[in-house]
Amino acid sequence: MVTTPLEAELRRLAGSVPDPELPVLTLEELGVLRAVHTLGPGRVEVELSPTYTGCPAIEAMSADIERVLHEHGVPDVTVRPVLAPAWSTDDITPEGRRKLQEFGIAPPRTTHAPAGPVAVGLGPTRHTTDTAGDTTLDALVCPHCGSPDTELLSRFSSTACKALRRCLACREPFDHFKEL
């Protein structure tokens, strides 16, 4: 489907809305904004994927998108949740990952997970460098000091999307945006 210049501008506006739970990121950087379609004069439909089914922030995201597009002259805005393809942390843009790191939240590791069922497994709570000094594939780098020596304190933090970790080098706690 071809995107018109108007749809591109409306997407830019909708994408500039800050995430209500992580206002350091825009919806575009978070990767939840899927598409913007003009349906006719003054009528727009926005496709938005929640970060997980039942995400309470989807209502705030939708209201903020509607407000921004209304402020820019679009009288009829519909925000439609889209569940397929499911949102993944791989959808977070490189700029979004950079902003998370600067904000003190360890960005999710890139999973490149194939479509389909997700394997669930228990892993180690500590992530360190190996004896050669190379970071293991599981390493999470502390956003404060850059050390890969971290431990899991809680699988849940201020939101279900984040885990609480602590750096073993600088001893500072930090959020980690979990991979999905």
Side-chain angles (χ1 to χ4, degrees):
M1 180 176 247
V2 177
T3 301
T4 68
L6 176 59
E7 288 170 333
E9 175 61 14
L10 295 172
R11 181 183 176 102
R12 184 191 66 73
L13 291 167
S16 70
V17 169
D19 177 73
E21 294 178 333
L22 291 166
V24 68
L25 296 182
T26 66
L27 299 183
E28 184 70 34
E29 293 162 343
L30 186 57
V32 296
L33 183 65
R34 297 301 189 183
V36 175
H37 307 287
T38 53
L39 304 176
R43 291 183 54 224
V44 172
E45 178 183 76
V46 178
E47 294 178 2
L48 188 66
S49 289
T51 55
Y52 63 94
T53 303
C55 174
I58 196 82
E59 289 178 24
M61 291 178 195
S62 298
D64 290 345
I65 288 172
E66 289 175 15
R67 179 187 46 76
V68 165
L69 295 182
H70 287 314
E71 288 172 357
H72 285 84
V74 182
D76 186 2
V77 178
T78 302
V79 179
R80 184 171 60 88
V82 176
L83 302 178
W87 178 86
S88 159
T89 51
D90 288 344
D91 295 330
I92 299 173
T93 67
E95 178 67 6
R97 291 171 186 279
R98 183 191 66 74
K99 285 182 174 181
L100 284 171
Q101 183 80 24
E102 279 184 4
F103 194 64
I105 298 173
R109 295 163 288 196
T110 304
T111 63
H112 300 294
V118 175
V120 176
L122 299 176
T125 60
R126 290 187 179 214
H127 302 278
T128 61
T129 55
D130 65 20
T131 54
D134 294 325
T135 302
T136 65
L137 292 177
D138 293 330
L140 288 164
V141 176
C142 171
H144 304 294
C145 74
S147 172
D149 297 331
T150 66
E151 68 180 339
L152 179 68
L153 296 178
S154 174
R155 295 203 183 277
F156 298 98
S157 185
S158 58
T159 66
C161 302
K162 294 183 283 189
L164 182 61
R165 296 190 161 271
R166 176 176 47 216
C167 177
L168 298 173
C170 71
R171 306 301 292 169
E172 287 292 323
F174 64 93
D175 281 338
H176 165 230
F177 200 112
K178 296 186 283 190
E179 294 78 21
L180 218 157

